[in-house]
Amino acid sequence: MTASAHAAHLAELNIATLRHPLDDPRMTPFVEMLDPVNAAADHAPGFVWRLMEDGASDATGLRPAGENVIVNLSVWESQGALWDFTYRSGHLEAMRRRREWFDRHVEAHLVLWWVPAGHLPTVTEALERLAHLRAHGPSPRAFTFTSPYTAAEAAQHVRTASPVRPEPAARSARPTPAGDSAAV
């Protein structure tokens, strides 16, 4: 889908605190799910972009929220597209088993917010949204699946920015084709 079809896209960040290092045998089932789940996301209806560490197929090596905290940052055409991938695809198996691999969070660990179509959020931006949600609760600026806001409700918080590239340590799962600034 092109940027002209949707004026705004939904960005999401979720963080998870590892129970064990990724190379620990107890984490093997999770690590083995990474490539298939990420490939499914890359081909899911409504998927736009996901953060990946430079030279890697995922973002598990990036640790901007702490040495034992992994991040997942992605952009979707709509909340429905993200919901369907999260809860109606092979990703659901990872969700069901998350307590084997990750500590239970006391604070919010997932945040959603609207961005202009074509904008790729940075990790810094995403962590700021999570901090805002934790400090102020759900709002059009930072919300959750259970307390959603529409793009229209969030319009005052959507920056009018031209498309940007991911931070230097990351790359996109769907690179922008040459000469097509609308696709991300």
Side-chain angles (χ1 to χ4, degrees):
M1 184 124 336
T2 64
S4 62
H6 293 284
H9 287 157
L10 187 70
E12 74 79 29
L13 169 75
N14 68 73
I15 63 170
T17 303
L18 297 167
R19 287 186 176 266
H20 314 284
L22 287 176
D23 59 357
D24 186 294
R26 293 170 285 191
M27 296 299 290
T28 299
F30 171 73
V31 172
E32 289 175 346
M33 284 183 169
L34 284 171
D35 285 342
V37 168
N38 284 332
D42 293 348
H43 295 95
F47 171 81
V48 176
W49 171 86
R50 69 181 166 89
L51 177 70
M52 296 186 332
E53 183 181 12
D54 195 26
S57 62
D58 59 48
T60 57
L62 301 174
R63 302 297 169 90
E67 189 54 38
N68 63 339
V69 179
I70 59 174
V71 299
N72 176 299
L73 175 59
S74 61
V75 177
W76 296 79
E77 289 178 352
S78 68
Q79 184 173 332
L82 175 58
W83 176 270
D84 286 346
F85 170 73
T86 303
Y87 297 106
R88 295 186 178 134
S89 75
H91 180 267
L92 185 57
E93 179 62 19
M95 295 286 294
R96 287 183 177 133
R97 297 183 65 187
R98 69 187 178 273
R99 296 291 169 244
E100 293 176 40
W101 309 309
F102 308 111
D103 290 341
R104 183 177 298 273
H105 282 272
V106 177
E107 296 182 289
H109 60 90
L110 170 108
V111 64
L112 308 173
W113 72 100
W114 294 100
V115 296
H119 173 74
L120 302 180
T122 66
V123 172
T124 301
E125 175 185 349
L127 291 172
E128 184 280 327
R129 296 292 177 139
L130 181 60
H132 184 88
L133 176 66
R134 287 174 171 177
H136 305 287
S139 70
R141 180 169 174 72
F143 53 93
T144 66
F145 278 126
T146 58
S147 59
Y149 288 84
T150 66
E153 291 170 319
Q156 64 188 348
H157 300 286
V158 176
R159 291 186 293 141
T160 53
S162 56
V164 295
R165 301 212 184 284
E167 292 175 341
R171 62 186 171 90
S172 172
R174 268 193 202 161
T176 304
D180 183 7
S181 61
V184 236

